[in-house]
Amino acid sequence: MTAQAAAATWSAALGQLQLSVTRANFDTWLRDTVGLRHDDDAFVVGAPNEFAIEWLNVRMKPLLVKALSGVLGHGTDVRFEVIRHDDA
């Protein structure tokens, strides 16, 4: 899966998630995430920092897996990475 395809897949999943979580949770934890790639059986999502990754892993991972699996049409795991900005 290309980076562009991963971004589009995650965008579709975010559309579903926006309907499933509160606006505050979406704006705080999901809005700044990006789909990075699909490695083997895991979809990799970029998040702004380690704190966001921990929160997503503990509180939202099953919901994210469900949304992504629905978009992809098959089961997948979700992993997170901190988004690295070249200008940071």
Side-chain angles (χ1 to χ4, degrees):
M1 178 177 285
T2 66
Q4 186 175 8
T9 298
W10 183 242
S11 181
L14 283 176
Q16 291 182 10
L17 290 163
Q18 196 167 11
L19 303 174
S20 304
V21 301
T22 65
R23 182 175 178 150
N25 275 342
F26 185 86
D27 288 348
T28 302
W29 304 110
L30 295 170
R31 182 171 304 284
D32 294 331
T33 59
V34 294
L36 297 176
R37 64 185 177 280
H38 196 230
D39 291 339
D40 301 320
D41 291 329
F43 191 92
V44 182
V45 175
N49 54 57
E50 290 291 340
F51 183 74
I53 288 172
E54 178 68 19
W55 201 94
L56 291 168
N57 262 317
V58 170
R59 300 184 185 247
M60 296 190 100
K61 188 170 181 176
L63 190 60
L64 301 180
V65 166
K66 182 178 178 183
L68 271 169
S69 295
V71 170
L72 290 168
H74 59 81
T76 189
D77 193 16
V78 177
R79 287 188 293 121
F80 302 96
E81 289 182 4
V82 173
I83 302 166
R84 304 285 180 207
H85 293 287
D86 294 336
D87 57 357

